[in-house]
Amino acid sequence: MDQKKLLKFILVAMVSGILIGWLFHSHLSTTQAENIASYFKILTDVFLRLIKMIIAPLVFATIVSGLISMGKSSSLGSITLKAMSWFIGASLISLLLGMSMANLLQPGAGMNLPIPTAPVDVGISATSLNIQAFITHIFPKSFAEAMANNEILQILIFSIFFGSALAYVHHQQDESTVIAKIIDELCRVMFRITDYVMMFSPIAVFSAIASAITLKGPQIIIDYSVFIGSFYVSLFILWAVIITVGYIFLKKDVFRLLKTVREPVVLGFATASSESAYPKLIVALEKFGVPKRITSFVLPLGYSFNLDGSMIYMSFAVLFIAQAYNIDLSISQQILILLTLMITSKGIAGVSRASLVVIAATLTMFKLPEAGILLILAVDHFLDMGRTATNIIGNSVATAVIAKTEGHKVEEGEIVLVQPLTPSEQTNSL
């Protein structure tokens, strides 16, 4: 399917989903609405399962293929250092911005909720969120298990070992190895399968939106308008910051980048799933001109460490809950919460409803009412749409900037090698 047509179908599906969901919510009883929403959810779940089906082999094939193209190059260490420096800096800025905007806009002020005296079951498990467990978890004990569970970081670790060894063997010979050819063909096959799966995306988008509106109704957006509006204002400011930093490195090309990745951004926004946008994002970045060796390595890493939208949401939501219960947090307490979120959020890759899990853990740690999670749970889907789109934009800009600093100038339709920035030039650019 033509990419422009697919984007139009997705936008039409979003509008149709809102209208149909509104119609069902207005004319059906609560029980009937729940039944209808469950049928809509089947289509969304099928699409997301198809996406999960292709993510693991796609990540493995693209990372190994990229490492083969690097050969014996020492650029892997350079790319990793730049990527992690960017991700940590972006996470800190996102958390600080979320905290600052929550203090400025005070979205929870005036709710004056009484602090619950009895424990409330919020349905969110917040156990085992610590840095020790995270570090141990990223190293796979079984590659098959990592593939089966879509553990992106574990797949990344094995792929680095496998790809580096294969690149060594590949460049010891005069001609391409059989395995290298198989990996290259696997990439092509997986991208073709991706095209097949993406043809189903407009139906999944329609189902996701219709299901949410059928259950909640448009009224819930009005009821939470201050909270939702304040959060989206914060997101737009974060977008401006990300794009501005991208402009420093990419100049006007940053706007061409945004245009190139608009389809995966819209798809991620509509489905509230970063995974659904991953295959298309790889294609979009390579179309923009980012080398496959960089895209295939930085993107999987970014999907685990560079969650700008999730970061700003977590700090914003924690302060919103504190304000709703009239709990005054000092600056020192807020800084401690920020540092806690900075660490615990790095261990949530692959965790279902990861942002809510971290928020629940943070509420418990700082003795804030756990029932506060119920306040944001009602509208979490609509907030998840925005933070997912932000995560995708953040990873797109990060990948393009790292490619530029590695010595690749992006031109329309081709890559032109240029001299990489010197350390002093990179410092001056920042």
Side-chain angles (χ1 to χ4, degrees), residues 359-378:
I359 292 170
T362 305
L363 294 177
T364 303
M365 194 176 302
F366 289 90
K367 295 183 169 47
L368 296 172
E370 292 183 36
I373 204 76
L374 299 175
L375 294 175
I376 60 177
L377 194 58

Side-chain angles (χ1 to χ4, degrees), residues 110-390:
M111 296 184 73
N112 299 318
L113 298 176
I115 298 177
T117 56
V120 177
D121 182 12
V122 297
I124 300 291
S125 173
T127 59
S128 302
L129 280 178
N130 59 75
I131 195 68
Q132 295 91 344
F134 168 64
I135 292 174
T136 305
H137 181 71
I138 65 175
F139 294 95
K141 57 184 178 182
S142 166
F143 178 57
E145 181 183 38
M147 292 286 282
N149 295 329
N150 271 344
E151 294 282 359
I152 299 299
L153 274 180
Q154 293 186 6
I155 295 171
L156 176 66
I157 294 295
F158 178 83
S159 299
I160 290 173
F161 278 102
F162 187 87
S164 300
L166 184 56
Y168 177 82
V169 173
H170 177 76
H171 288 274
Q172 290 293 311
Q173 302 181 12
D174 295 332
E175 57 183 24
S176 178
T177 62
V178 174
I179 298 180
K181 292 179 180 178
I182 292 174
I183 293 294
D184 186 52
E185 290 300 316
L186 178 60
C187 283
R188 297 181 184 181
V189 171
M190 291 312 303
F191 280 121
R192 174 54 61 186
I193 294 175
T194 297
D195 288 338
Y196 296 152
V197 172
M198 286 302 157
M199 291 175 66
F200 187 67
S201 59
I203 298 174
V205 167
F206 168 79
S207 302
I209 301 294
S211 175
I213 298 295
T214 298
L215 280 177
K216 309 290 185 182
Q219 183 64 36
I220 196 168
I221 300 177
I222 298 173
D223 294 340
Y224 280 82
S225 58
V226 174
F227 177 45
I228 295 175
S230 299
F231 177 64
Y232 272 89
V233 167
S234 305
L235 280 185
F236 292 145
I237 294 174
L238 180 57
W239 286 21
V241 172
I242 293 171
I243 294 169
T244 300
V245 176
Y247 184 84
I248 293 173
F249 291 92
L250 302 174
K251 306 305 179 186
K252 293 182 179 180
D253 271 332
V254 73
F255 301 111
R256 184 167 65 84
L257 172 65
L258 295 175
K259 182 179 179 182
T260 305
V261 301
R262 68 182 185 273
E263 183 190 341
V265 169
V266 170
L267 181 60
F269 177 82
T271 60
S273 168
S274 296
E275 286 182 330
S276 68
Y278 180 84
K280 284 295 181 185
L281 190 55
I282 290 179
V283 176
L285 286 171
E286 291 188 4
K287 179 182 178 183
F288 174 71
V290 178
K292 180 175 65 173
R293 67 185 182 88
I294 293 179
T295 304
S296 61
F297 181 75
V298 175
L299 262 192
L301 204 60
Y303 262 57
S304 297
F305 289 101
N306 193 36
L307 306 172
D308 301 334
S310 299
M311 291 292 177
I312 191 174
Y313 175 65
M314 287 185 283
S315 58
F316 192 91
V318 169
L319 288 196
F320 164 74
I321 291 170
Q323 293 165 6
Y325 288 100
N326 291 318
I327 298 173
D328 187 31
L329 296 173
S330 65
I331 295 298
S332 59
Q333 286 176 310
Q334 292 188 34
I335 292 174
L336 192 57
I337 288 173
L338 184 147
L339 294 175
T340 302
L341 290 172
M342 186 75 182
I343 296 172
T344 55
S345 61
K346 299 309 177 189
I348 61 175
V351 177
S352 178
R353 300 164 89 180
S355 297
L356 292 177
V357 172
V358 174
I359 292 170
T362 305
L363 294 177
T364 303
M365 194 176 302
F366 289 90
K367 295 183 169 47
L368 296 172
E370 292 183 36
I373 204 76
L374 299 175
L375 294 175
I376 60 177
L377 194 58
V379 290
D380 184 66
H381 179 81
F382 305 104
L383 302 172
D384 197 9
M385 294 165 71
R387 62 182 187 254
T388 298
T390 305

Side-chain angles (χ1 to χ4, degrees), residues 30-44:
T30 302
T31 303
Q32 290 174 324
E34 289 176 352
N35 287 334
I36 292 294
S38 67
Y39 286 113
F40 280 134
K41 194 171 182 297
I42 291 174
L43 297 174
T44 306

